Structures are given as C-alpha cells and as structure tokens.
C-alpha cells in the first residue's frame, strides 16, 4: 500500500458579491464516497480546550468531552450503511483524532436507475458528528465551536496505519509534547 498526501489546491468562490479563495486539503481525484482508511483530526476553534484536560498522562474528559465521545460511538452505530469501522480514536482537550475505514461504495443510482446523492461520504458524516456535538455542547457552554475544517490523511500503508494507531493511543501520555498543546489556553467547563 502507498500513502497518499492531501491536496492544498485553492478553490475560488463568490459569496454576497465578494470573491473568496479557500484552500482545500482534500486529495485531488480521490473518491471520498468510496472505500478507504482515514486518519482525521478535528480541532476546536482557536484550539480552546473544551473537552477536558490531561492529568499525569491520563485523559480527563469533562461533560463536553463525554458528549464528543458519545456522539462518535453513536455515529459508529447509525452509520452501518457505509460500513464505518473505527480502529482507534481519542478525544483530546482541544481536538479529536479518529482512525477509521469506510466502504460506502460510489453508487450514484438507486435500484430503478434514478440518480441519488451519496449519503455515505466522509464530509457528510463528519459534518453530522460535528453538528450533533455542537448542539449538545452549547447547552453547557454557548461559546463551543469547532474549527471550520478538518484534516485528513488517506492511509494506504500498514506501517503508517500502525504508526498512527500508536500515536492516537499514546496521545494523552505525551500531551505536553503534542503540537496541539498550548499550556496558555485555559480549559473550559
């Protein structure tokens, strides 16, 4: 298996008469509706520690962190239509990591041949996950917000899969060395 890097191509769009340029991190030409193994990182807005903290190398989730964990487990249950399989995940104080595989296929027609929109693509179910967490979290803290995007790595090599899996498992233990750690940001309840 070969590892595929993400794309950093720029996409132009117009909103309210103004032209904007956004950078996509998606791999150009990759079928995100199809089969694949992915390492996903979703961060809280401004890297705010909304999910809890790490104490002596152990993760201590607060109520919002527990919501994020519950919603990921719920996602696994309700997304059986795309054969979503979680290999590992961790909810960190200000971000989440997921290592999963999916096999939704790229079927664009139903049994009668009528065009259908794929419901199993990665962006769709990650958006629903983020939305579910946000709705519940804002009942606790109205300032809760995710970073608008997420980072994905398409995993196609066993060695890389193993490294990522180990990284996720060890993430709480090495939190102060993590690039997402910022000791200056206070934890939010």
């Amino acid at each position: 298996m070969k590892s595929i890097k993400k794309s950093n191509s720029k996409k132009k769009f117009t909103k309210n008469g103004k032209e904007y340029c956004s950078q996509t991190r998606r791999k150009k030409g990759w079928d995100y509706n199809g089969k694949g193994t992915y390492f996903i990182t979703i961060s809280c807005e401004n890297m705010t520690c909304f999910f809890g903290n790490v104490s002596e190398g152990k993760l201590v989730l607060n109520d919002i962190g527990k919501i994020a964990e519950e919603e990921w487990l719920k996602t696994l249950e309700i997304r059986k239509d795309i054969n979503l399989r979680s290999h590992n995940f961790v909810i960190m104080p200000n971000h989440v990591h997921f290592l999963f595989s999916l096999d939704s296929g790229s079927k664009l027609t139903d049994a009668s041949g009528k065009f259908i929109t794929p419901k199993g693509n990665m962006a769709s179910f990650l958006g629903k996950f983020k939305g579910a967490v946000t709705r519940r979290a804002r009942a606790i803290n109205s300032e809760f917000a995710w970073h608008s995007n997420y980072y994905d790595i398409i995993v196609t090599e066993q060695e890389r899969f193993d490294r990522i899996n180990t990284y996720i498992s060890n993430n709480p233990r090495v939190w102060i060395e993590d690039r997402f750690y910022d000791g200056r940001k206070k934890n939010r309840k």
Side-chain angles (χ1 to χ4, degrees):
M1 292 195 299
K2 187 178 178 187
S3 182
I4 300 174
K5 293 186 178 182
K6 53 193 164 216
S7 166
N8 284 322
S9 61
K10 293 188 178 189
K11 187 168 40 171
K12 291 185 179 183
F13 64 96
T14 304
K15 183 176 180 181
N16 298 330
K18 291 184 179 179
E19 190 172 290
Y20 294 89
C21 188
S22 71
Q23 195 166 358
T24 179
R25 296 185 171 274
R26 304 303 156 245
K27 169 73 177 142
K28 189 174 182 175
W30 182 261
D31 181 8
Y32 285 92
N33 293 327
K35 187 175 186 172
T37 299
Y38 303 95
F39 173 49
I40 302 294
T41 300
I42 311 173
S43 305
C44 294
E45 188 173 69
N46 299 320
M47 298 307 291
T48 303
C49 294
F50 283 113
F51 298 133
N53 61 53
V54 174
S55 177
E56 297 178 13
K58 301 246 189 261
L59 190 57
V60 182
L61 295 177
N62 61 20
D63 289 341
I64 296 176
K66 290 174 187 172
I67 288 169
E69 183 176 53
E70 289 168 14
E71 289 298 334
W72 177 248
L73 296 172
K74 194 184 296 184
T75 297
L76 297 172
E77 284 299 309
I78 62 177
R79 298 311 317 208
K80 292 183 182 200
D81 58 326
I82 58 171
N83 297 318
L84 177 60
R85 178 174 172 225
S86 179
H87 301 289
N88 202 351
F89 75 96
V90 67
I91 312 295
M92 293 299 291
N94 60 7
H95 66 282
V96 297
H97 290 304
F98 303 122
L99 178 60
F100 64 88
S101 297
L102 61 92
D103 183 9
S104 62
S106 297
K107 189 175 176 188
L108 297 177
T109 57
D110 63 14
S112 69
K114 181 180 174 188
F115 177 79
I116 56 172
T117 303
K119 295 178 183 169
N121 69 42
M122 189 169 61
S124 172
F125 84 78
L126 289 175
K128 289 176 184 175
F129 164 78
K130 288 171 71 174
V133 172
T134 299
R135 281 186 293 282
R136 292 180 62 196
R138 285 192 178 157
I140 298 168
N141 182 338
S142 63
E143 294 179 16
F144 177 81
W146 293 104
H147 183 274
S148 62
N149 210 338
Y150 59 87
Y151 301 94
D152 68 270
I153 294 174
I154 302 163
V155 183
T156 58
E157 296 173 341
Q158 185 64 47
E159 183 182 327
R160 190 167 199 189
F161 177 94
D162 294 340
R163 271 196 326 268
I164 292 168
N165 197 29
T166 300
Y167 171 78
I168 291 172
S169 295
N170 291 336
N171 208 206
R173 189 174 50 77
V174 295
W175 170 234
I176 348 182
E177 301 162 24
D178 193 284
R179 69 186 182 108
F180 292 105
Y181 175 76
D182 185 347
R184 297 179 306 260
K185 295 195 190 246
K186 300 216 187 265
N187 290 323
R188 302 283 180 109
K189 296 271 179 192

